[in-house]
Amino acid sequence: MNTLRTAVLLAAMTALFMGVGYLIGGSGGMVIALLIAAGTNLFSYWNADKMVLSMNRAVEVDEKNAPEYYAIVQALAKQAGLPMPRTYLIDNPQPNAFATGRNPENAAVAASTGLLERLSHEEVAAVMAHELAHVQHRDTLTMTIVATLAGAISMLGNFAFFLGGSRDNNNPFGFVGVLVAMIVAPFAAMIVQMAVSRTREYEADRRGAEICGNPLWLASALGKIARGAERIPNEDAERNPAMAHLFIINPLHGERMDNLFSTHPSTENRIAALQEMARAMGGASPAARREAAAPTAANEAPAGPWGKPADPAAEVEPPPPKPNPWGRNPTGPRNAGRKGPWS
């Protein structure tokens, strides 16, 4: 099903690409656009993940320079039955994360320093579990190729003013065709938002909660990330808005509506779905679970999948988040004489 969905999406994006080319240069422009689209599809399949990581200036890390973060991803990948993905950090104060790659064997996950600085250990684990769910569902191939194609369509539209509308080309619509192409291009990001079904986010939330062991960790994380994204700009994402749908929360300002043109469902709806999932997993009432958990100190801070198995039924309301285990250095303790990836 995912393969068919990817093929249909690529066909639709290629048709859009050809349509813009036809409006700019007639049949000749359409042929050129088809060749460009075919090359872009092929290039995107093999290199879109590298482009997305490069645009966000992500730095690959390992157990030496980011031990806690790397260990979380490693344990969660094992829990999900996935190969260990390449792990990246983005030097950006906005809390956010995304996954990319054409398949689970060639996947990468990335988190911002803002995410590691502002979220608790459990919340970071829940976010990375969500991203691994995208990898497991093979959403990352579709999302990265769509981001690349949308950027190419926007670029083609920007050339419309310079290449179209003259009497020397085969454009059958003249300047009207150029205007249409110029109007279509700015809406390329919206087309991406419609094409990439937002149900994927709900599915990734659900599977991510199963992987990390507690839906409420992810619910708490989504709330913090959404508030952080509203206050803290992400300049790299603003320059490349077609990448917005890759992130767990839309990194662009002013994108809150849960409508046809939104890249993500509303955060409130996602949190409500996770809370309902927690209630379904818990069975007993919240008061009964709190009373049952109160006598033992061990229940005050349930461990995640990297320690003892978590019991999602133990509580519906999350305990107070533990202090940030990384302090001021989100990549973890440095080895003596060794600098972090952006020091």
Side-chain angles (χ1 to χ4, degrees):
M1 186 63 179
N2 282 328
T3 301
L4 176 62
R5 182 174 56 190
T6 300
V8 170
L9 181 57
L10 290 178
M13 296 295 286
T14 300
L16 176 62
F17 206 109
M18 293 172 62
V20 174
Y22 183 73
L23 289 171
I24 295 174
S27 57
M30 185 172 65
V31 172
I32 293 173
L34 174 61
L35 295 175
I36 295 174
T40 302
N41 285 338
L42 184 60
F43 178 82
S44 298
Y45 181 82
W46 294 103
N47 298 290
D49 55 338
K50 301 179 183 67
M51 291 180 60
V52 169
L53 292 165
S54 176
M55 288 177 182
N56 287 278
R57 295 179 291 175
V59 177
E60 189 168 6
V61 296
D62 55 26
E63 67 275 8
K64 295 181 179 178
N65 53 14
E68 288 92 344
Y69 169 47
Y70 188 88
I72 287 175
V73 176
Q74 187 175 50
L76 290 169
K78 182 178 179 180
Q79 181 86 356
L82 291 169
M84 177 62 184
R86 289 172 291 134
T87 307
Y88 288 80
L89 275 172
I90 305 167
D91 190 13
N92 193 307
Q94 183 189 89
N96 229 317
F98 66 84
T100 185
R102 62 184 181 272
N103 54 40
E105 291 72 32
N106 295 276
V109 295
S112 69
T113 52
L115 184 91
L116 301 186
E117 289 170 342
R118 289 170 172 78
L119 271 62
S120 71
H121 189 276
E122 291 84 2
E123 291 164 343
V124 171
V127 170
M128 302 320 296
H130 170 99
E131 299 307 331
L132 288 174
H134 278 308
V135 172
Q136 192 168 56
H137 294 162
R138 296 179 182 266
D139 294 334
T140 51
L141 171 62
T142 301
M143 293 191 295
T144 51
I145 289 181
V146 166
T148 305
L149 279 173
I153 291 169
S154 296
M155 184 180 299
L156 188 62
N158 291 335
F159 287 143
F161 183 78
F162 301 100
L163 301 180
S166 72
R167 301 178 180 218
D168 298 327
N169 61 27
N170 296 319
N171 182 353
F173 299 102
F175 191 66
V176 174
V178 174
L179 286 178
V180 173
M182 292 176 66
I183 292 172
V184 168
F187 283 91
M190 291 186 182
I191 293 169
V192 171
Q193 293 164 7
M194 289 186 292
V196 180
S197 173
R198 291 172 296 147
T199 59
R200 296 183 185 187
E201 291 302 322
Y202 286 118
E203 279 299 305
D205 286 345
R206 182 193 61 77
R207 179 56 183 148
E210 292 174 351
I211 294 172
C212 75
N214 193 328
L216 294 172
W217 293 351
L218 183 55
S220 177
L222 290 176
K224 287 185 178 181
I225 296 171
R227 291 190 294 272
E230 290 177 4
R231 297 193 309 267
I232 305 169
N234 185 329
E235 299 298 337
D236 292 328
E238 297 288 348
R239 284 193 294 268
N240 301 282
M243 296 189 306
H245 66 288
L246 297 175
F247 289 84
I248 187 170
I249 291 288
N250 195 323
L252 307 179
H253 280 202
E255 189 66 45
R256 301 186 187 90
M257 299 192 332
D258 192 10
N259 59 31
L260 184 63
F261 298 108
S262 176
T263 58
H264 298 70
S266 74
T267 305
E268 292 78 10
N269 289 351
R270 295 171 69 182
I271 290 174
L274 288 164
Q275 290 172 340
E276 179 60 30
M277 182 180 177
R279 283 191 288 270
M281 293 170 69
S285 67
R289 280 187 292 275
R290 287 196 297 270
E291 183 177 351
T296 59
N299 288 330
E300 294 178 1
W306 49 88
K308 64 179 183 179
D311 181 10
E315 57 182 354
V316 163
E317 295 183 0
K322 295 195 295 188
N324 177 15
W326 297 282
R328 291 173 178 261
N329 176 19
T331 64
R334 295 174 179 166
N335 295 334
R338 182 186 179 93
K339 293 185 177 182
W342 33 72
S343 299

